Amino acid sequence: MKAEELANLLAEHSLFADCDEAELSDLILRGHFVQYKKGDELIMQGDPGNSLLILLSGNARTSMIASNGHEVVLDYAEPGQVLGEIALLDGGDRTASVTAIEPTSALSITRAAFEEILSTHKNMALRLLKVMASRIRMANNMIEGDRAYTSGPRLARYLLRLSVVGAEEGRLKLDLSQSELGNFAGMSREHINRQLSSWSESQIVAVESGKVRILDHAMLSHIAEADS
Amino acid sequence: MKAEELANLLAEHSLFADCDEAELSDLILRGHFVQYKKGDELIMQGDPGNSLLILLSGNARTSMIASNGHEVVLDYAEPGQVLGEIALLDGGDRTASVTAIEPTSALSITRAAFEEILSTHKNMALRLLKVMASRIRMANNMIEGDRAYTSGPRLARYLLRLSVVGAEEGRLKLDLSQSELGNFAGMSREHINRQLSSWSESQIVAVESGKVRILDHAMLSHIAEADS
DNA sequence: TACCAAATGTGACTATTGTCACACGCACGC
DNA sequence: GCGTGCGTGTGACAATAGTCACATTTGGTA
């Protein structure tokens, strides 16, 4: 793939939109392009963390398996998202796996290259700081939601998180199976099913051929803040 | 307070231990010293985030109140800890409050000063990145624990998190009331009480005059990884 | 010391959610 | 067309943890 194309892919998405040309070309020069099939692991829990990925296309799921086998989905990553910074920065092992849920490509950057880029381009550090700040905010939000609310409001929150902002017809960014939704929202598949059925009756969501569509965004937001 | 004393306080703790003198004096020059009584709020949920704090002495609790009134304790901060970076970096409002749980002092740094320091001392950004990386790791760990485990292992985890590494007699860093422990571990006060009583019978912990002491650290660690 | 407020201990009951079991339907490949 | 498998729908039941109510203890202080 040509440098220009990579540059375009990078610049299209969030974090790197306001990079100058030197930064982009440095990223591309020092990184290398990697491709994954659906189901491949971009990052594996337990491995040492010696590189960082920038998702260029496709979609991936960040999840961890607890010592009792329980799978916890932390996030779904879109193109433009940085993955694996944590282990790279603190030198620890990867605490979560990242799995491609569709054909996916990314730019991989080694620790050495990363450090060079950070020291050459001062603005990169600040940009990364901002990304990480919003990630902490999101994580705290998850903790709050998981703790403070019962399953209904919680599922509402996770559905809203999956909903596209410019919501064409309320479709979600990702069509997750009910089991996957369960791992994301922290409830059993059966419970997800019952909750969706109930909302489907009240015209809050529609479930058509396995795909969830949000019909009443306002109502769902209201449920997400509900007392119980 | 004199600059030297501040410098000593800063250097005593984690993050700033390896700052050079110029960095330390810059922090002290541009920041200002603030003191709080027990119960004071260093940071208030909902406020705009225009400053960052470095805890110098005392102890503080980071917590958020959900829209349904439920209080969630995210962390307890020790001297040396940076507080309030998130809102400062991403420009959003404070999503959590920080409350002094004993007389506490801190160095307060405005956004302008913070930006100057970051651009003057390149290493500061990298240091901050590392701090934030470990914070994300901890948050993900909380999410995993809250999701994957039942109350027993969860309480074990939070007790371990409060336990001093050099454990003199298994005392905790903080003597929390059972209600506070409940807000921290995400369970009701009564449930905490029952769980502690049960562990007390099995000699895993001791509860003396309201204070928890870990007797069998290994056993508690084992419980923290348990299947249910 | 004696009082008060706050923190703790404990029983009975309830609510929420998970688990198990099994039926159904739909898509895909042989 | 017909299995085979995966995702889904749903009932019955079990388990975990919360709530409520109240007794008891403790610690601080007038």
Side-chain angles (χ1 to χ4, degrees):
Chain A
M1 181 170 279
K2 297 204 197 65
E4 283 174 56
E5 293 177 68
L6 283 173
N8 285 336
L9 275 175
L10 276 178
E12 255 172 48
H13 303 287
S14 56
L15 173 60
F16 304 99
D18 54 350
C19 280
D20 60 39
E21 227 162 290
E23 290 172 316
L24 283 179
S25 63
D26 231 27
L27 277 170
I28 291 158
L29 197 73
R30 297 180 203 261
H32 75 275
F33 184 74
V34 276
Q35 269 183 302
Y36 303 93
K37 301 189 301 295
K38 175 175 175 175
D40 284 357
E41 302 223 308
L42 322 207
I43 285 177
M44 221 172 123
Q45 188 173 347
D47 282 0
N50 295 318
S51 65
L52 163 159
L53 293 174
I54 301 165
L55 209 62
L56 294 171
S57 68
N59 247 303
R61 172 185 55 238
T62 304
S63 63
M64 20 193 345
I65 310 272
S67 60
N68 61 0
H70 198 109
E71 179 176 9
V72 177
V73 174
L74 292 173
D75 200 9
Y76 289 93
E78 299 184 308
Q81 176 136 17
V82 178
L83 295 168
E85 355 64 83
I86 301 167
L88 197 77
L89 282 164
D90 73 5
D93 288 344
R94 325 231 78 140
T95 43
S97 293
V98 179
T99 314
I101 55 177
E102 44 185 86
T104 290
S105 66
L107 195 63
S108 168
I109 296 176
T110 63
R111 167 172 282 118
F114 173 67
E115 282 170 0
E116 278 178 28
I117 289 170
L118 273 192
S119 64
T120 315
H121 307 284
K122 286 195 314 192
N123 281 331
M124 283 305 293
L126 191 58
R127 262 193 281 272
L128 234 199
L129 278 172
K130 286 181 187 175
V131 169
M132 293 181 70
S134 71
R135 203 153 308 178
I136 294 176
R137 201 184 269 276
M138 157 103 352
N140 285 346
N141 214 47
M142 275 179 84
I143 294 170
E144 179 217 20
D146 287 3
R147 287 274 181 90
Y149 299 99
T150 52
S151 63
R154 231 174 39 230
L155 179 55
R157 285 171 159 241
Y158 285 99
L159 285 181
L160 290 172
R161 187 164 147 196
L162 287 173
S163 79
V164 196
V165 257
E168 349 90 341
E169 313 239 310
R171 260 203 301 298
L172 302 182
K173 277 191 276 200
L174 259 28
D175 285 319
L176 304 179
S177 75
Q178 295 184 358
S179 327
E180 276 198 283
L181 251 184
N183 286 336
F184 189 38
M187 40 203 283
S188 70
R189 178 195 63 82
E190 292 91 329
H191 202 334
I192 295 272
N193 185 284
R194 284 186 246 263
Q195 185 64 77
L196 286 179
S197 304
S198 147
W199 284 344
S200 179
E201 295 227 336
S202 357
Q203 306 278 321
I204 297 169
V205 304
V207 187
E208 299 148 340
S209 60
K211 285 154 186 56
V212 178
R213 215 154 46 84
I214 297 175
L215 296 178
D216 191 340
H217 202 276
M219 189 58 185
L220 207 59
S221 306
H222 181 253
I223 291 171
E225 307 279 294
D227 283 0
S228 65
Chain B
M1 181 170 279
K2 295 203 196 71
E4 283 175 56
E5 293 178 68
L6 282 173
N8 285 335
L9 275 174
L10 275 178
E12 255 173 49
H13 302 288
S14 57
L15 172 60
F16 303 99
D18 55 348
C19 279
D20 61 38
E21 226 162 290
E23 289 173 317
L24 283 179
S25 63
D26 231 26
L27 277 171
I28 291 158
L29 197 73
R30 296 179 203 262
H32 74 276
F33 185 74
V34 274
Q35 270 183 301
Y36 303 93
K37 299 189 302 293
K38 175 174 174 176
D40 283 358
E41 302 224 307
L42 322 209
I43 285 176
M44 220 171 124
Q45 188 173 348
D47 281 0
N50 294 318
S51 66
L52 164 158
L53 293 174
I54 301 164
L55 209 62
L56 294 172
S57 69
N59 248 303
R61 172 184 56 237
T62 304
S63 63
M64 20 193 343
I65 309 273
S67 61
N68 61 0
H70 198 108
E71 179 176 8
V72 177
V73 173
L74 293 173
D75 200 9
Y76 289 93
E78 299 183 306
Q81 174 135 21
V82 178
L83 295 168
E85 356 61 85
I86 301 167
L88 197 77
L89 281 164
D90 73 4
D93 288 344
R94 324 230 79 139
T95 42
S97 294
V98 178
T99 313
I101 57 177
E102 42 185 86
T104 290
S105 66
L107 195 63
S108 169
I109 295 175
T110 63
R111 165 172 283 120
F114 173 68
E115 282 171 359
E116 279 178 26
I117 290 171
L118 273 191
S119 64
T120 315
H121 307 283
K122 286 196 314 193
N123 282 330
M124 283 304 292
L126 191 58
R127 263 193 281 270
L128 233 199
L129 278 172
K130 286 180 185 173
V131 168
M132 293 180 71
S134 69
R135 202 153 310 178
I136 294 176
R137 200 183 270 276
M138 156 102 357
N140 286 347
N141 214 47
M142 275 179 85
I143 294 171
E144 179 217 20
D146 287 3
R147 286 274 182 90
Y149 299 99
T150 52
S151 63
R154 231 174 38 230
L155 180 54
R157 285 170 159 242
Y158 284 98
L159 284 180
L160 290 172
R161 187 163 147 197
L162 287 173
S163 78
V164 197
V165 258
E168 347 91 342
E169 313 240 309
R171 260 204 300 298
L172 301 182
K173 278 190 276 198
L174 259 29
D175 285 319
L176 303 178
S177 74
Q178 296 185 358
S179 327
E180 275 198 284
L181 252 184
N183 287 334
F184 189 37
M187 41 202 285
S188 70
R189 178 194 65 81
E190 293 90 330
H191 201 333
I192 295 271
N193 185 282
R194 285 185 247 263
Q195 185 65 76
L196 287 178
S197 305
S198 146
W199 284 344
S200 179
E201 296 226 335
S202 356
Q203 307 277 322
I204 297 169
V205 303
V207 187
E208 298 149 339
S209 60
K211 284 154 188 55
V212 178
R213 214 154 47 85
I214 297 174
L215 296 179
D216 191 339
H217 202 276
M219 189 58 183
L220 207 59
S221 305
H222 182 253
I223 292 172
E225 307 279 294
D227 282 0
S228 65

